[in-house]
Amino acid sequence: EKRRLRALSLYRQLLRGAERMPTPNRQNYIKRKTTSEYRKHATLTDGDEIEFQLRLADTNLDTVLVQAEHLSRLFSDPDYQNHN
């Protein structure tokens, strides 16, 4: 039960993190990847594998949040916009 709640929490956080991405393509990619991975692993029963997947989701969440912040800052920088 505790793992299930943690998995659902991470799932929701990843989907919310996707909304912070500056482009629809990035948002949609993260949503699709998150949904796909969670469906793929929904039937896991091995405790070690479940823990591994939860740690991986945690790492992915950190990555999504860092990327969202970085890309949002980059895309709002007028100097960056002038070079593209």
Side-chain angles (χ1 to χ4, degrees):
E1 180 64 22
K2 186 176 179 183
R3 286 181 181 149
R4 189 176 80 76
L5 292 175
R6 189 166 145 217
L8 290 173
S9 175
L10 283 166
Y11 179 74
R12 287 190 300 266
Q13 289 177 72
L14 279 159
L15 293 180
R16 281 195 299 270
E19 292 298 323
R20 298 168 86 176
M21 285 291 177
T23 66
N25 282 347
R26 293 297 296 168
Q27 291 172 359
N28 291 333
Y29 171 78
I30 292 166
K31 288 177 186 177
R32 278 193 318 272
K33 182 74 172 165
T34 298
T35 302
S36 167
E37 289 297 310
Y38 273 76
R39 285 182 179 153
K40 183 169 116 182
H41 297 106
T43 58
L44 286 179
T45 56
D46 179 278
D48 290 339
E49 181 65 19
I50 292 169
E51 282 302 318
F52 173 79
Q53 292 301 328
L54 289 170
R55 283 194 307 276
L56 187 59
D58 239 340
T59 301
N60 288 340
L61 176 60
D62 288 343
T63 301
V64 164
L65 296 177
V66 168
Q67 281 185 359
E69 183 179 334
H70 173 73
L71 291 173
S72 294
R73 230 182 298 132
L74 185 65
F75 285 13
S76 67
D77 182 345
D79 290 334
Y80 176 80
Q81 296 297 326
N82 291 335
H83 294 325
N84 291 306

